[in-house]
Amino acid sequence: MVPPGAAAHAQCGYRRVGGAMAAALPRAALAPPGGAAGGSAPGGSAPGGSAGTPGRAEGAEGLFVVLGAGLAAASHPLLYVKLLVQVGHEPLPPVVGRNVLGRKVLYLPGFFTYARHIVEVDGKRGLFRGLTPRLISSTLSTITRGSVKKAFPPEDMEHVSNKDDVKTSLRKVVKETSHEMMMQCVSRVVSHPLHVISMRCMVQFVGREVKYSGVFSAIGRILKEEGILGFFVGLVPHILGDVIFLWCCNLLAHFINTYAVDDNFSQASVIRSYTKFVMGIAVSMLTYPFLLVGDLMAVNNCGLRAGLPPYAPAFTSWIHCWRYLSAQGQLFRGSSLLFRRAPMPASSFPLD
């Protein structure tokens, strides 16, 4: 959703850099050829348009694969640090600072300090641990979305216009969101096994393991130790988060554009084009716990230190994981990577 259409996926402008944009980056890497995770009008293209120009459509799909891979590679250090924070790995002590009110607070290391620590331990290449399976996952997701869109084209969908009456426009939004949800769910299922492998490769930093050293060896190990279901741990919360995100984002954007933006305002069209992007950032904060739980389940109790006590108990289900994090007040752990406040007793510092 950077511009209204393909940017709808970037709208998955899911978290600030340190928070809101961090999760946006991974989803943006999955952006489909001609669609957005936010469900921006898939019907923007004429029905059968791609069929009339197959060479051009294939070229566009290839371009999206390359762009998605490039974005995934560029954002990988950010997601790597975020995952280590999510699992609770804090190798550096907090430092004393002051907030905007001048009060003393403890700050945990931010992204740049954490990344510098990784470089000191593993070198610059260490920032890209787990990148190969992530690139494969991103590519699979993009290709799958394109294939699903070709197999089930939104033939009778039309772009929502402010000339539509309320019922007609809402019906179009529901139809478009349903189609986008189907593409997102299918692509998530197809790409999730590589996502699990990527997560496990990255969290090996915590215990300095080498259990998952390559894509093929990781596939064999998971099959041997956990069976086929081992590739889909954490899938349910990820899909639930995607579905809730899509519907909330698209419906909220629709109602705001319909009832809050006055057609007589000269910049109404510009405001409408970015409503979904803003809603994407807001809704992403609410659905972040699903992302966190899904990532933690992907590495939990798999034989790696990051998925075992004291970092986390062996969860019996993603609901168990959710309840545990909720009880600890940690459902938004890792949502911010810049200004990370640590809990601090009131008596930690003398009065000024």
Side-chain angles (χ1 to χ4, degrees):
M1 292 191 24
V2 186
H9 222 303
Q11 89 172 333
C12 278
Y14 213 39
R15 254 125 249 159
R16 284 177 309 270
V17 165
M21 293 312 275
L25 293 173
R27 295 195 181 191
L30 307 180
S40 194
S45 56
S50 60
T53 55
R56 184 176 179 180
E58 292 175 3
E61 184 171 335
L63 177 61
F64 271 93
V65 169
V66 173
L67 290 177
L71 181 56
S75 64
H76 192 75
L78 180 65
L79 299 192
Y80 183 19
V81 171
K82 181 169 77 73
L83 178 63
L84 294 180
V85 173
Q86 284 180 329
V87 299
H89 184 55
E90 299 292 349
L92 302 174
V95 296
V96 180
R98 293 182 181 273
N99 60 17
V100 293
L101 300 177
R103 296 175 180 173
K104 288 184 177 180
V105 294
L106 280 178
Y107 284 108
L108 291 167
F111 165 71
F112 296 103
T113 303
Y114 209 127
R116 189 161 52 245
H117 169 72
I118 294 175
V119 172
E120 291 174 353
V121 175
D122 283 344
K124 292 182 179 179
R125 291 183 61 183
L127 287 173
F128 297 92
R129 181 194 293 258
L131 176 60
T132 299
R134 181 161 176 249
L135 290 177
I136 299 174
S137 175
S138 172
T139 301
L140 284 175
S141 178
T142 303
I143 294 175
T144 301
R145 291 178 67 91
S147 299
V148 172
K149 192 170 185 179
K150 290 178 183 177
F152 303 96
E155 296 177 354
D156 56 350
M157 293 187 193
E158 298 177 4
H159 185 69
V160 176
S161 168
N162 57 2
K163 295 180 181 180
D164 295 326
D165 59 44
V166 175
K167 290 184 178 179
T168 301
S169 61
L170 180 58
R171 185 172 62 252
K172 289 181 180 179
V173 170
V174 170
K175 185 177 293 187
E176 292 167 3
T177 304
S178 299
H179 187 266
E180 179 63 29
M181 179 181 68
M182 176 186 65
M183 291 195 298
Q184 180 65 22
C185 289
V186 173
S187 67
R188 174 68 73 177
V189 171
V190 172
S191 62
H192 194 74
L194 274 299
H195 174 76
V196 170
I197 293 174
S198 178
M199 297 291 103
R200 294 184 180 184
C201 287
M202 287 189 273
V203 298
Q204 289 184 132
F205 176 83
V206 176
R208 313 306 299 161
E209 298 106 335
V210 290
K211 184 177 180 179
Y212 297 93
S213 56
V215 174
F216 294 108
S217 62
I219 291 174
R221 183 175 289 275
I222 293 176
L223 277 174
K224 180 180 179 180
E225 297 181 357
E226 303 171 56
I228 193 69
L229 294 181
F231 292 108
F232 298 98
V233 287
L235 176 62
V236 173
H238 271 300
I239 287 183
L240 286 176
D242 289 341
V243 170
I244 294 172
F245 176 85
L246 279 172
W247 283 100
C248 289
C249 180
N250 285 2
L251 290 177
L252 283 174
H254 168 71
F255 288 127
I256 290 174
N257 286 339
T258 301
Y259 298 106
V261 181
D262 191 345
D263 289 335
N264 296 323
F265 183 55
S266 60
Q267 300 297 320
S269 61
V270 176
I271 293 176
R272 284 194 174 99
S273 68
Y274 285 97
T275 301
K276 191 176 293 183
F277 177 71
V278 176
M279 288 299 98
I281 295 176
V283 174
S284 70
M285 295 303 296
L286 298 178
T287 57
Y288 178 80
F290 291 96
L291 175 74
L292 173 62
V293 171
D295 287 347
L296 291 185
M297 289 302 298
V299 302
N300 186 250
N301 198 27
C302 64
L304 299 178
R305 184 180 175 189
L308 298 170
Y311 290 97
F315 299 119
T316 56
S317 68
W318 72 270
I319 297 177
H320 179 199
C321 178
W322 183 293
R323 289 176 176 171
Y324 173 82
L325 292 172
S326 179
Q328 300 291 322
Q330 295 289 308
L331 275 175
F332 290 89
R333 185 170 67 195
S335 63
S336 176
L337 293 180
L338 289 183
F339 302 102
R340 305 171 52 225
R341 289 186 56 176
M344 178 181 65
S347 59
S348 293
F349 303 110
L351 295 176
D352 293 333

